């Protein structure tokens, strides 16, 4: 009986001294666990005289109940305090400014290319991508370019061998399309082209986009109408278009296409060099000889073709004054296009 009192005092003292719920659990086990001191008292029941056993048993059970009540009220208090501590140390300051995730953006030449593909797809054009390594036949001969034409010179063309070269124009793809498809044909062909050229507006590697339409009854008026649509969608709805006579071996007649200066509205400024017009692309009616080279009867079918430089369009559209900026990959230049709408 005396022992019971001592055990209770000891348990209450240790429970009050427990600093956290973990320590309290240890104390609880020390007294009420399987090998605990209170449990051990019950195991000693046999040493108690038979008539005292019921009173002794009751006393121990009462003690157990008191201790259990004490432990659970202490446990609740400690857990509450621990939760409060946790909440205050793990507090999140929602007013702190967030760290912005840097996102990449599309390259300006890609933006222009995607925009043009979208525009021409809307007019029913399909996209064809030809190879960057071509032979003399596709890049020059089938395009009616004479053997002694200066464009074939080593100075203009990167030759890989006598026969193979890096294509100098996406026009090479025209031949591949006309040889493999029968009219009606309506394609655009964007891609990289290569020339031995290097100054502020010319680069040894640049991008072109070719357009080709072949069908019955196609005329220069169709070309004109379509290019006018293109210029209005690409630059501004107020621009005007004009055709100037020009020369390409694979088109006859050939034209250069100018748009009225979208910077000054045609009055004359630095961008249009005072002329009021800006040259944007070369075009023309597909030369009869080229159609014949592709086994298309020029008496039955006619077509138009055009070719534009994507860097040139991007330079005009975004006011870029040096073509090198497109390949230097300086993020200060590139990030200006991050939010550019396609
Ligand atoms: C041609 O390449 C013709 N194949 C275009 C064509 C296609 C005409 C179909 C008729 C029918 P040209 O050499 O002018 O044409 O080049 C077309 C455009 O490419 C030029 O207007 C210019 O914007 C761009 N360009 C030419 N050389 C370079 C260069 N070195 N760097 C960047 N852009 C260039």
């Amino acid at each position: 009986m005396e022992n019971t009192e001592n055990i209770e005092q000891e348990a209450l003292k240790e429970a009050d001294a427990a600093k956290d719920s973990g320590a309290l659990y240890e104390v609880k086990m020390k007294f009420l666990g399987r090998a605990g001191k209170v449990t051990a008292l019950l195991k000693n029941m046999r040493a108690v005289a038979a008539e005292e056993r019921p009173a002794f048993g009751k006393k121990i059970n009462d003690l157990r109940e008191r201790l259990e009540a004490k432990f659970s009220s202490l446990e609740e208090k400690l857990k509450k305090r621990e939760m409060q501590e946790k909440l205050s140390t793990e507090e999140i300051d929602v007013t702190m400014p967030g760290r912005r995730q840097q996102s990449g953006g599309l390259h300006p030449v890609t933006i222009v290319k995607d925009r043009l593909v979208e525009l021409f797809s809307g007019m029913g054009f399909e996209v064809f991508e030809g190879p960057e390594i071509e032979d003399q036949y596709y890049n020059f001969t089938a395009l009616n370019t004479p053997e002694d034409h200066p464009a074939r010179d080593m100075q203009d063309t990167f030759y890989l061998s006598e026969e193979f070269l890096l294509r100098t124009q996406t026009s090479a793809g025209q031949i591949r399309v006309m040889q493999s498809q029968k009219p009606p044909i309506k394609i655009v062909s964007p891609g990289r082209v290569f020339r031995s050229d290097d100054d502020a507006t010319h680069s040894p590697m640049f991008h072109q986009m070719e357009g080709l339409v072949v069908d019955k009854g196609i005329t220069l008026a169709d070309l004109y109408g379509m290019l006018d649509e293109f210029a209005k969608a690409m630059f501004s709805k107020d621009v005007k278009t004009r055709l100037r006579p020009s020369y390409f071996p694979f088109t006859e007649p050939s034209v250069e296409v100018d748009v009225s200066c979208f910077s000054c509205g045609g009055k004359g400024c630095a961008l249009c060099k005072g002329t009021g017009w800006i040259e944007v692309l070369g075009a023309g009616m597909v030369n009869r000889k080229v159609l014949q080279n592709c086994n298309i009867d020029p008496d039955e079918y006619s077509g138009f073709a055009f070719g534009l430089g994507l860097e040139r369009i991007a330079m005009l559209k975004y006011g870029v004054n040096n073509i090198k900026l497109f390949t230097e990959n300086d993020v200060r230049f590139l990030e200006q296009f991050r939010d550019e709408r396609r």
Side-chain angles (χ1 to χ4, degrees):
M1 291 291 186
E2 222 169 275
N3 206 8
T4 320
E5 310 271 292
N6 289 343
I7 288 175
E8 181 165 13
Q9 290 314 313
E10 194 189 342
L12 291 176
K13 202 169 145 205
E14 287 190 24
D16 281 330
K19 290 210 166 59
D20 54 41
S21 56
L24 182 70
Y25 180 76
E26 299 280 310
V27 179
K28 187 175 170 184
M29 286 301 111
K30 183 172 167 189
F31 292 92
L32 300 182
R34 268 165 169 269
K37 288 191 174 181
V38 176
T39 321
L41 285 176
L42 281 175
K43 282 183 190 153
N44 279 342
M45 191 72 102
R46 242 187 261 166
V48 180
E51 64 280 11
E52 285 179 27
R53 273 183 203 160
F56 183 70
K58 183 172 185 316
K59 194 167 172 108
I60 293 172
N61 276 335
D62 290 348
L63 168 62
R64 174 177 271 278
E65 271 167 29
R66 280 199 303 281
L67 288 182
E68 259 164 10
K70 172 80 178 172
F71 282 124
S72 65
S73 88
L74 273 181
E75 191 184 354
E76 198 179 316
K77 239 187 268 170
L78 287 174
K79 286 229 163 118
K80 208 177 208 174
R81 200 176 72 197
E82 282 162 17
M83 178 57 82
Q84 259 155 10
E85 265 166 25
K86 198 169 170 195
L87 288 177
S88 66
T89 52
E90 289 180 2
E91 195 176 19
I92 297 167
D93 181 356
V94 289
T95 63
M96 251 171 83
R99 230 173 286 142
R100 221 189 130 126
Q101 285 283 342
Q102 288 281 352
S103 66
L106 292 177
H107 190 278
V109 172
T110 307
I111 296 173
V112 167
K113 185 194 86 179
D114 288 353
R115 179 104 198 261
L116 287 171
V117 167
E118 197 176 288
L119 180 69
F120 285 108
S121 301
M123 296 189 211
F125 283 75
E126 282 174 34
V127 176
F128 169 84
E129 283 186 54
E132 290 175 358
I133 295 176
E134 276 292 8
D135 60 20
Q136 294 235 29
Y137 176 78
Y138 285 102
N139 199 77
F140 294 126
T141 315
L143 285 164
N144 192 39
T145 310
E147 287 291 333
D148 58 355
H149 194 282
R152 293 200 185 209
D153 278 2
M154 294 288 282
Q155 288 91 328
D156 287 325
T157 306
F158 293 116
Y159 283 92
L160 302 175
S161 66
E162 282 253 321
E163 195 189 348
F164 291 104
L165 46 83
L166 295 177
R167 67 176 173 192
T168 61
Q169 49 190 354
T170 45
S171 301
Q174 277 189 35
I175 305 301
R176 292 186 178 273
V177 172
M178 285 191 281
Q179 279 183 349
S180 61
Q181 293 177 30
K182 290 293 138 214
I185 291 170
K186 205 171 176 186
I187 59 106
V188 281
S189 183
R192 288 199 296 181
V193 300
F194 307 84
R195 286 182 200 181
S196 183
D197 247 353
D198 197 9
D199 63 33
T201 53
H202 294 82
S203 154
M205 186 283 290
F206 61 102
H207 297 75
Q208 283 189 337
M209 178 126 114
E210 193 82 2
L212 173 72
V213 173
V214 183
D215 202 349
K216 288 180 180 161
I218 298 290
T219 70
L220 201 62
D222 296 314
L223 171 67
Y224 194 13
M226 190 222 58
L227 288 176
D228 200 50
E229 287 263 313
F230 144 79
K232 287 190 165 61
M234 199 63 197
F235 300 110
S236 117
K237 60 178 174 15
D238 305 319
V239 297
K240 293 186 187 64
T241 332
R242 76 173 183 189
L243 306 182
R244 263 184 306 111
S246 182
Y247 172 77
F248 297 102
F250 35 92
T251 46
E252 180 59 36
S254 302
V255 292
E256 295 279 0
V257 181
D258 297 341
V259 295
S260 59
C261 181
F262 39 82
S263 177
C264 64
K267 288 189 214 81
C269 67
L271 183 66
C272 61
K273 300 192 183 85
T275 64
W277 293 93
I278 296 172
E279 184 193 312
V280 286
L281 58 95
M285 298 305 291
V286 182
N287 194 310
R288 290 174 63 87
K289 288 188 190 151
V290 174
L291 291 175
Q292 271 161 350
N293 288 341
C294 301
N295 293 321
I296 295 177
D297 182 356
D299 292 325
E300 194 181 351
Y301 292 103
S302 57
F304 66 73
F306 60 90
L308 47 85
L310 296 183
E311 280 82 356
R312 181 160 176 79
I313 303 282
M315 287 173 90
L316 289 171
K317 199 166 160 55
Y318 303 123
V320 177
N321 61 7
N322 195 318
I323 198 167
K324 304 274 180 305
L325 288 163
F326 292 124
T327 41
E328 278 169 352
N329 285 337
D330 185 330
V331 283
R332 288 169 303 177
F333 170 71
L334 294 174
E335 68 188 2
Q336 296 176 67
F337 301 91
R338 191 191 289 138
D339 301 323
E340 187 63 34
R341 229 194 96 249
R342 279 209 282 131

